[in-house]
Amino acid sequence: MQVSNRIEGLNGGGSDGWDVFYRARAMVNAGEPVTELTIGEHDIRTDPTILAAMNAAAMSGHTGYASVPGVAALRDAVALRLTQRTGVATTRDSIVITPGGQAGLFAAHMALCDAGDVALYCDPYYATYPGTIRGASAVPRVVMTRPEAAFQPSYADIAEQAEGARSILVNTPNNPTGVVYDRPTVEGIARACCDFDLWCISDEVYDTQVWEGAHLSPRAMEGMAARTLVVGSMSKSHAMTGSRVGWVAGPAEVIEHMVNLATHTTYGVPGYIQDAALFALKEGPELESRVGAPFERRRRLAQGLLAGQNVVKLVPSGGAMYLMLDCRATGLSGEEFANRLLDTHRIAVMPGESFGAAAAGHLRVAMTVEDAAFEAALTTILTFAKELAA
Ligand code: PMP
């Protein structure tokens, strides 16, 4: 029996560059000690106060079908958050609650792109992007960014690919680079969207994790609120990756269609999860700072460790839970470096190539192990790179 071409072609064929990750997992499962700096998952769990709110909501009976667009109080809280943090007046009808940011990314492309429409995304990219676009039957087209420009997409980078495209997916703070888009970048994105009549899908799931600079939402730029969907999530900001709760914010008429899509796909998010998310948002920025603090601390540690040498260069990043290391001076590809590092030192990092061609010769390091182990791993990576470069 034949499955759909859509589902069969989701990964686009070829190696997905995640071999190092799978090999490391196999070693761990076989009982070998591996320092895993691979995926974007906190080394802390969801705060017990959030779990208590979840439990109370479930025990009080919020376990039936929940409101498909999201419970009103949560939509209001998300709208208020966006209004306060981005300066764009946002109301309940501009918000749909989704089972995480990933579902929001898919729903956004479903809402904006017809089958065969070209959807732009920036390289290096979060691993699911091209598959998400293909899943919506759109055609992914890459906007290449450059390490020399700290992987910030420029107006010219976008313009080169924008002819005939329908949408562009951007991500700040960025996974995999940790780069926070500066004002010229965000203004360039906005200008390109207006000039080429593109929808902007803005993945802002790391918006609370900014260690240097400030988070700027493309939606807040002139002329952009009417053509932007913002994807948000509780996963990273509140260490709620397993709860599967996020949102999409945008023009009310688009959100209405997305609620209709949710009715025919997810049927919403469990009520007790939404109540827990509401509790967490109402706790305010203090809880978010606590969740993000380890990454800010480890980034500072890395800056200190990597200062004063040129073999492993830190891409100038300002946020998220990742570091991007430029290891081109060793002469190895990111993939070779990562494989050899795993084999010789039992440290797992992601090759830059896993996230596209732009990050070739780089490594993505997730800052997701406790400080001492993190510091030891980085020290080993640096020593190993120096040996290779010598
Ligand atoms: N966007 C980016 C850039 C991510 O890194 C992730 C998760 N790693 C997601 C979206 C999806 O997150 P979630 O579905 O957990 O909200």
Side-chain angles (χ1 to χ4, degrees), residues 9-93:
L10 207 64
N11 294 334
S15 153
D16 61 3
W18 281 64
D19 300 357
V20 182
F21 170 74
Y22 293 119
R23 282 211 304 123
R25 269 295 147 96
M27 287 175 178
V28 171
N29 290 338
E32 284 185 60
V34 177
T35 306
E36 285 185 288
L37 307 171
T38 48
I39 58 168
E41 176 109 59
H42 315 66
D43 50 320
I44 56 167
R45 301 284 85 189
T46 306
D47 195 89
T49 60
I50 300 175
L51 297 179
M54 195 182 290
N55 185 56
M59 293 305 282
S60 76
H62 207 173
T63 53
Y65 289 123
S67 157
V68 173
V71 298
L74 179 59
R75 293 170 85 197
D76 287 345
V78 172
L80 179 66
R81 184 179 189 274
L82 284 166
T83 304
Q84 288 173 341
R85 296 189 183 186
T86 67
V88 186
T90 307
T91 50
R92 182 190 305 173
D93 57 351

Side-chain angles (χ1 to χ4, degrees), residues 120-122 141-146 152-163 165 167-170 181 184-193 196 198 200:
L120 304 176
Y121 66 108
C122 301
R141 184 191 289 169
V142 92
V143 171
M144 287 300 277
T145 66
R146 284 157 296 116
Q152 306 234 4
S154 70
Y155 176 88
D157 295 334
I158 300 169
E160 209 170 276
Q161 303 299 333
E163 211 61 61
S167 61
I168 182 166
L169 171 54
V170 295
Y181 291 176
T185 296
V186 179
E187 285 176 354
I189 291 167
R191 195 153 56 83
C193 286
F196 293 94
L198 301 173
C200 181

Side-chain angles (χ1 to χ4, degrees), residues 40 99-103 105 126 129 171 175 203 205-206 232-233 235-236 241 244-245 322:
Q102 183 57 48
L105 288 168
Y126 171 49
Y129 282 2
N171 172 218
N175 177 9
D203 180 342
V205 304
Y206 293 99
S233 173
S235 287
K236 312 297 180 174
T241 49
R244 311 312 304 137
V245 57
Y322 313 101

Side-chain angles (χ1 to χ4, degrees), residues 212-235:
E212 211 172 301
H215 173 65
L216 283 175
S217 174
R219 180 167 174 258
M221 302 294 115
E222 201 185 328
M224 288 297 282
R227 58 169 72 245
T228 304
L229 292 181
V230 171
V231 175
S233 173
M234 301 294 290
S235 287

